[in-house]
Amino acid sequence: NAGVTQTPKFQVLKTGQSMTLQCAQDMNHNSMYWYRQDPGMGLRLIYYSASEGTTDKGEVPNGYNVSRLNKREFSLRLESAAPSQTSVYFCASRPDRSTYEQYFGPGTRLTVT
Amino acid sequence: LAKTTQPISMDSYEGQEVNITCSHNNIATNDYITWYQQFPSQGPRFIIQGYKTKVTNEVASLFIPADRKSSTLSLPRVSLSDTAVYYCLVGDWLTGGGNKLTFGTGTQLKVEL
């Protein structure tokens, strides 16, 4: 099993450009999450998907959209990137409500200039 | 959401036991306590979860007093490889009301020779 994979690993954008961060998991997990982590800070939840077909806002959803394409894939889109969105983005998945254990991907380091 | 308070940093030496305490005075009846570990440039990794008393696994122990207003993560005989940030999370995922867990800033543990 590859676990949780994220693409790309690194990305530099100019202000106003758009891009989609991809996340996929091969563990048949129901829930998936997108977090951002700014330097020296903890993780903040952007959006989550409790199950296929559902998405909901987290703590910092402004400027982002998500798509739960199927059970495996959960993408995060920045429609018009801003320097404040410079961060490391982590995707995570969780099997179901019976556990608090999330499995995290390796992260995408995004810089917006 | 229950707010958590942890020490910003701790120092230890190889072979010592390390105890990291997390304060969560407004923990709710259905909330569980979960700890994660994060190495630089990696996503967090689940360590342990508990509701009350003591939980032990192959990596750590979690001590929760009867009033549940705090918890202590205990790492036995730490090594250099335990140098990481440790996050305490409190929330309710089992009944579906706590998808928005917050990681906070965590405790930076530094282990030296």
Side-chain angles (χ1 to χ4, degrees):
Chain A
N1 284 353
V4 178
T5 57
Q6 294 183 235
T7 55
K9 287 186 169 53
F10 301 93
Q11 184 70 48
V12 178
L13 292 178
K14 294 187 187 304
T15 298
Q17 289 185 318
S18 62
M19 79 161 295
T20 300
L21 280 64
Q22 306 286 354
C23 174
Q25 51 92 7
D26 61 1
M27 298 174 283
N28 201 36
H29 287 175
N30 286 321
S31 301
M32 297 185 73
Y33 305 82
W34 275 106
Y35 293 89
R36 62 176 286 175
Q37 185 172 35
D38 299 329
M41 305 289 289
L43 281 76
R44 292 184 291 171
L45 183 65
I46 305 171
Y47 270 94
Y48 66 94
S49 171
S51 61
E52 185 179 359
T54 69
T55 61
D56 204 349
K57 295 178 181 178
E59 183 184 358
V60 289
N62 290 343
Y64 305 95
N65 285 301
V66 291
S67 295
R68 184 75 182 267
L69 304 170
N70 47 56
K71 193 170 186 179
R72 289 187 62 249
E73 299 172 290
F74 188 38
S75 63
L76 178 72
R77 183 160 179 83
L78 287 70
E79 290 292 351
S80 178
S84 60
Q85 294 178 305
T86 293
S87 190
V88 180
Y89 291 84
F90 289 103
C91 176
S93 68
R94 180 165 75 108
D96 51 48
R97 288 183 179 179
S98 69
T99 176
Y100 284 73
E101 182 171 2
Q102 294 181 84
Y103 296 76
F104 282 81
T108 294
R109 188 173 297 273
L110 175 67
T111 301
V112 183
T113 62
Chain B
L1 295 174
K3 178 177 165 53
T4 60
T5 303
Q6 304 174 232
I8 294 174
S9 64
M10 295 182 68
D11 295 327
S12 184
Y13 294 96
E14 275 203 318
Q16 290 189 332
E17 177 185 76
V18 171
N19 296 308
I20 305 174
T21 297
C22 179
S23 173
H24 29 81
N25 289 320
N26 61 338
I27 189 169
T29 302
N30 292 330
D31 286 347
Y32 273 67
I33 300 153
T34 311
W35 286 80
Y36 279 79
Q37 173 192 58
Q38 186 179 26
F39 298 113
S41 301
Q42 294 186 24
R45 183 174 72 100
F46 173 88
I47 301 174
I48 198 166
Q49 73 182 47
Y51 184 79
K52 61 180 179 181
T53 63
K54 176 184 174 182
V55 180
T56 297
N57 62 22
E58 64 278 6
V59 176
S61 294
L62 178 59
F63 298 92
I64 305 168
D67 66 6
R68 304 200 326 122
K69 293 184 184 298
S70 67
S71 58
T72 299
L73 175 72
S74 181
L75 304 173
R77 295 197 299 280
V78 294
S79 65
L80 293 175
S81 63
D82 292 314
T83 294
V85 177
Y86 292 82
Y87 296 98
C88 165
L89 287 75
V90 174
D92 167 22
W93 279 18
L94 299 187
T95 59
N99 275 305
K100 301 177 185 180
L101 289 185
T102 55
F103 273 75
T105 54
T107 297
Q108 172 67 63
L109 173 64
K110 182 179 178 182
V111 181
E112 298 174 288
L113 287 172

